[in-house]
Amino acid sequence: MEPFTIATGTMDHAQNVFIRVHTDAGFYGVGECSAFPMIVGETQDTCLVMAREFAKLWIGRDALNLEGRLQQLHSFTAGNTTIKSAFDIALHDIAAKHADLPLYRFLGGEKRMVESDITIGIDNPTTMALRALYFKASGANILKVKVGKNAADDVERIKQIREAVGPEMKIRIDANQGWSFDDAVFALQAMGAYNVEFCEQPMRTWYDDRLPQLMALSPVKIMADESVYNHHDARKQINSGSCHYINIKLSKSGGLFEAKNIHDEAAAKGIACMMGGMLESRIGLSAKLHFVYASPNIKFYDMDTCMLGHLKDPCIGGVQYDGYKLTIDDAIGIGADADEEFLKGCEWMRV
């Protein structure tokens, strides 16, 4: 992919893993995950090693017992939520195919309009402002701006972007844990003049206890990202008054099953959620769109992953972009699969 910079580093390729889980009913489920070592601590290689171990656990087991199969993975190893998410997605694909339904209908959802933001990576302020103008001209209505490298420079980045695009365009920011408490206070108070919708994860998770204090000082609302992996994290963040919103990512939650638990925990407390992601292809993105359709408390959509410079598209079927809006047809299951020609060039294993 084209190089893309956030507070924790620069990526020039996506570390994705694709799986198929075969059944004795004659069909299979597909899943995909995108390892993001700077955030979740997994790499493509660790995902492949764990995938081999997970696959052995499921041989001869009931694929329709979703909770039982997922508990096997959790009992086998703590963490490893990225590769667990691929297995979770494949199970949901199998269940929906068995029910002869698109995944969103199997989950009890219905289609609605979903418009993604588009992300601007960290660069010098002028270059970022020009990038913002390019996206505005292409029809984007919502910008997500990466910050977290230097607080004073970050304020200048947002200042120049706001001046470039005007007052109407939505701007949200993501610090990816890049600021200290003092930097976060300075940056967010200074950015209050530029109508920033919210800030994702301003500080490292070990400063979670200082988030209520930051929220009291910040004119910009706070969204928890790396601070929330599961619904227990969500409960603690919400009950401690540490966030206004929560970003749900399948690579953090371990898949759709736990993502639903986070969604429901937040919905019960009036905390809106965002659907986010790592660098999934349209395969993983398709699963996320089905989940969004079934999750009414997801109010924000950061689903531009395949628009961030992916130079190859390994997906057949699946989600489509109409500008910055996402749509998918009513094929059963996830409705997406991997291109066999693409797979011929990949490292693979069978268990």
Side-chain angles (χ1 to χ4, degrees):
M1 58 182 290
E2 296 173 2
F4 184 77
T5 300
I6 65 173
T8 51
T10 299
M11 296 77 66
D12 60 8
H13 66 284
Q15 299 190 41
N16 294 6
V17 173
F18 171 74
I19 70 168
R20 287 176 175 152
V21 177
H22 293 265
T23 72
D24 60 6
F27 59 86
Y28 58 79
V30 304
E32 184 199 23
C33 64
S34 182
F36 212 94
M38 299 92 80
I39 302 296
V40 183
E42 295 170 83
T43 68
Q44 191 176 55
D45 285 340
T46 66
C47 286
L48 287 168
V49 169
M50 295 308 297
R52 183 175 59 219
E53 299 302 317
F54 289 170
K56 293 175 184 176
L57 298 174
W58 281 3
I59 293 173
R61 299 300 187 103
D62 180 7
L64 298 179
N65 181 1
L66 274 74
E67 190 167 4
R69 298 292 71 75
L70 295 173
Q71 186 56 53
Q72 276 186 285
L73 308 188
H74 299 319
S75 297
F76 181 77
T77 185
N80 296 101
T81 53
T82 300
I83 187 59
K84 284 177 180 176
S85 72
F87 278 74
D88 170 287
I89 291 168
L91 275 190
H92 280 86
D93 191 28
I94 288 170
K97 286 175 177 174
H98 178 264
D100 199 32
L101 292 170
L103 179 58
Y104 77 90
R105 287 185 56 201
F106 174 78
L107 295 172
E110 58 184 31
K111 290 184 176 180
R112 66 177 191 268
M113 196 274 283
V114 174
E115 180 178 9
S116 179
D117 59 24
I118 184 69
T119 306
I120 300 175
I122 296 175
D123 209 319
N124 68 73
T126 301
T127 298
M128 293 173 72
L130 290 173
R131 190 71 170 159
L133 280 173
Y134 169 80
F135 287 138
K136 181 179 180 180
S138 71
N141 293 310
I142 311 164
L143 296 175
K144 175 174 171 176
V145 182
K146 293 290 187 177
V147 293
K149 283 286 191 182
N150 176 284
D153 291 344
D154 289 335
V155 173
E156 183 63 21
R157 290 177 172 108
I158 300 306
K159 177 178 181 290
Q160 289 198 27
I161 290 172
R162 175 55 76 195
E163 290 174 348
V165 301
E168 301 301 322
M169 199 169 192
K170 288 184 178 179
I171 296 176
R172 53 188 63 155
I173 62 172
D174 184 1
N176 285 115
Q177 308 182 78
W179 291 327
S180 67
F181 177 82
D182 290 340
D183 284 345
V185 172
F186 164 78
L188 294 173
Q189 288 185 344
M191 290 178 187
Y194 305 121
N195 190 24
V196 174
E197 186 178 20
F198 56 75
C199 172
E200 285 185 60
Q201 200 68 34
M203 304 179 296
R204 287 282 182 180
T205 57
W206 50 70
Y207 294 128
D208 279 356
D209 61 319
R210 303 201 70 181
L211 282 169
Q213 184 183 1
L214 178 62
M215 288 174 63
L217 295 169
S218 172
V220 178
K221 292 185 176 182
I222 303 300
M223 175 177 282
D225 184 358
E226 290 91 335
S227 293
V228 175
Y229 274 63
N230 55 53
H231 72 283
H232 299 296
D233 294 334
R235 170 178 48 82
K236 290 187 288 186
Q237 288 291 108
I238 295 167
N239 291 349
S240 62
S242 297
C243 64
H244 296 95
Y245 308 122
I246 290 173
N247 187 358
I248 297 174
K249 294 177 179 174
L250 301 185
S251 288
K252 290 187 304 165
S253 69
L256 300 162
F257 186 88
E258 182 59 21
K260 179 66 161 54
N261 290 336
I262 298 170
H263 170 275
D264 292 351
E265 180 74 27
K269 303 291 178 59
I271 299 293
C273 296
M274 180 161 79
M275 186 76 250
M278 301 305 186
L279 295 170
E280 297 91 349
S281 77
R282 289 191 303 110
I283 300 168
L285 183 63
S286 297
K288 290 192 287 184
L289 183 58
H290 283 289
F291 179 71
V292 165
Y293 286 157
S295 305
N297 192 48
I298 294 180
K299 308 293 187 183
F300 311 107
Y301 315 106
D302 180 31
M303 301 174 69
D304 59 346
T305 174
C306 302
M307 304 173 78
L308 295 177
H310 281 208
L311 301 178
K312 294 184 179 180
D313 180 5
C315 181
I316 298 296
V319 65
Q320 298 291 330
Y321 287 102
D322 177 12
Y324 293 90
K325 296 182 175 67
L326 285 74
T327 60
I328 198 165
D329 64 24
D330 277 343
I332 66 168
I334 291 171
D337 206 337
D339 183 343
E340 294 296 336
E341 287 302 311
F342 181 87
L343 292 181
K344 288 179 181 177
C346 295
E347 176 186 356
W348 65 278
M349 66 183 75
R350 184 188 303 272
V351 177

